[in-house]
Amino acid sequence: MTDDAAPDLRASDADRERVAEILRDALAEGRLDMEEFEERLDATYRARTYGELAPITRDLPAARGVAAPAVSLTKDPAPEGGWADRIVGGDDGGTSTWAVAVMGGFQRKGRWTAPRRFNCFAFWGGGEIDLREANFVDREVVINAVAIMGGVDVIVPPGIEVVVRGIGVMGGFDHREEGEPGDPGAPRVVVTGFAFWGGVGVQRKLPRAEKQRLREERRRQKLERKEARKQLGGASGYHDPLNLHGRSSERYREERGER
């Protein structure tokens, strides 16, 4: 049975999420601008049937130039990427093994491969080491940070164990993210080094894609609540005897003699 053969079949949340994922890919590739993306995403979360979902992605190709079905009637579980896929192993030294910021800054973020040991130095400057979307050469990564009148921020995603062993003199290392156990198979990040009149911070943040997914989920829930209130109002037989919704606030004040 094809999607077109059952346009009135009710769509599931998983079906809507598959369409939303196609839209996110199209936005990243420049096939949709932000306004088109938001319009189609709102339509996706409002859709109740396959017939409503199908037109949303009909003009969007899938990866590698193959036309993507709008939705699938097969309720296969979505593949889940695990930590094992992000630990590449081997003798690879990683995308970058060191960074220096002297009266300036550095960043390591996005899709990069963290080495077994990353050395960085900040003097009158700052650096950011973002591991949320990174791959890892090994199960344990050591970040050796030296901050002299400067700072280094290490950002890790949930599920990673963090150990902080640095020494601070008139400066410090952030230990707040220690003690949280890691997910099975997740890498371990050891933050060490020296801070003098400076600091090394550790933050735990959601990956950007997950934050975007949560924003879209909140938007979907908001639309569903709005639709539910609308249906409840219609079912209750509520009417507006004063036509307050049909008159402007200025007209209403005039009629009350306030102007």
Side-chain angles (χ1 to χ4, degrees):
M1 179 167 52
T2 65
D3 298 340
D4 293 335
D8 296 329
L9 186 66
R10 300 284 289 189
S12 68
D13 287 341
D15 296 321
R16 284 183 280 271
E17 284 302 322
R18 278 192 285 270
V19 173
E21 185 64 29
I22 294 174
L23 294 178
R24 284 192 288 269
D25 290 343
L27 176 66
E29 294 168 357
R31 301 182 189 277
L32 296 176
D33 59 30
M34 183 57 69
E35 183 178 354
E36 291 172 318
F37 171 74
E38 291 179 349
E39 289 176 356
R40 295 194 189 199
L41 193 66
D42 288 342
T44 298
Y45 288 131
R46 286 197 302 267
R48 293 291 177 265
T49 66
Y50 283 102
E52 294 172 345
L53 277 177
I56 296 174
T57 57
R58 187 163 285 160
D59 61 342
L60 297 176
R64 299 179 184 175
V66 179
V71 288
S72 173
L73 297 184
T74 304
K75 301 301 184 289
D76 297 326
E80 297 183 359
W83 287 110
D85 297 332
R86 296 176 60 178
I87 300 175
V88 297
D91 297 328
D92 185 3
T95 304
S96 175
T97 59
W98 61 276
V100 174
V102 177
M103 293 184 288
F106 68 81
Q107 284 186 326
R108 298 294 184 272
K109 61 191 299 185
R111 294 286 184 182
W112 69 294
T113 302
R116 292 181 177 86
R117 183 178 182 88
F118 184 88
N119 298 300
C120 58
F121 175 75
F123 174 72
W124 277 17
E128 180 183 272
I129 305 168
D130 190 339
L131 299 171
R132 288 178 292 176
E133 299 177 19
N135 291 324
F136 302 84
V137 168
D138 205 348
R139 285 284 303 277
E140 181 170 292
V141 171
V142 177
I143 297 177
N144 180 48
V146 177
I148 309 296
M149 292 182 286
V152 175
D153 287 325
V154 180
I155 303 174
V156 300
I160 284 184
E161 180 187 1
V162 176
V163 178
V164 180
R165 296 174 179 165
I167 299 173
V169 177
M170 291 185 287
F173 278 71
D174 189 351
H175 290 259
R176 288 176 296 179
E177 296 300 336
E178 279 193 301
E180 183 172 329
D183 292 342
R188 181 172 184 250
V189 175
V190 179
V191 181
T192 185
F194 177 73
F196 176 72
W197 279 16
V200 177
V202 181
Q203 303 177 60
R204 196 180 297 274
K205 296 182 179 181
L206 288 172
R208 293 174 180 81
E210 180 65 14
K211 290 195 292 185
Q212 176 70 15
R213 188 193 67 79
L214 291 175
R215 282 196 296 267
E216 293 170 5
E217 177 66 17
R218 287 194 293 268
R219 181 185 301 167
R220 181 182 67 83
Q221 292 173 353
K222 182 178 178 180
L223 287 171
E224 289 179 347
R225 288 194 297 268
K226 183 178 179 180
E227 183 67 22
R229 288 195 298 267
K230 183 178 178 181
Q231 293 177 357
L232 182 62
S236 65
Y238 169 78
H239 67 284
D240 187 2
L242 297 179
N243 192 27
L244 297 179
H245 294 288
R247 304 191 326 242
S248 67
S249 58
E250 181 178 353
R251 175 72 180 278
Y252 181 59
R253 290 196 297 270
E254 288 178 352
E255 292 178 356
R256 293 185 59 189
E258 296 179 2
R259 294 193 60 182

